[in-house]
Amino acid sequence: MSAVLPPGVSLLHVDGAPPEIRRILVARLPGRPTPAFTAVTRAIGSAALEP
């Protein structure tokens, strides 16, 4: 994250802070998912597993 901080903004480590939890929700209309929808949800799932 430090590589994208604008000048003048500092990144601080906070001891004892709870771990960060991120959630991504995807919604679609009922019916068979399109190939594009399937590709996007797979990409999101793969990215979520990266450290």
Side-chain angles (χ1 to χ4, degrees):
M1 177 103 192
S2 61
V4 296
L5 291 176
V9 175
S10 299
L11 183 66
L12 301 173
H13 176 76
V14 179
D15 291 325
E20 182 177 332
I21 297 173
R22 294 181 183 199
R23 290 183 175 89
I24 298 174
L25 304 175
V26 179
R28 66 175 179 87
L29 296 173
R32 186 179 187 128
T34 65
F37 178 85
T38 302
V40 168
T41 55
R42 284 185 182 154
I44 291 170
S46 294
L49 299 175
E50 295 177 4

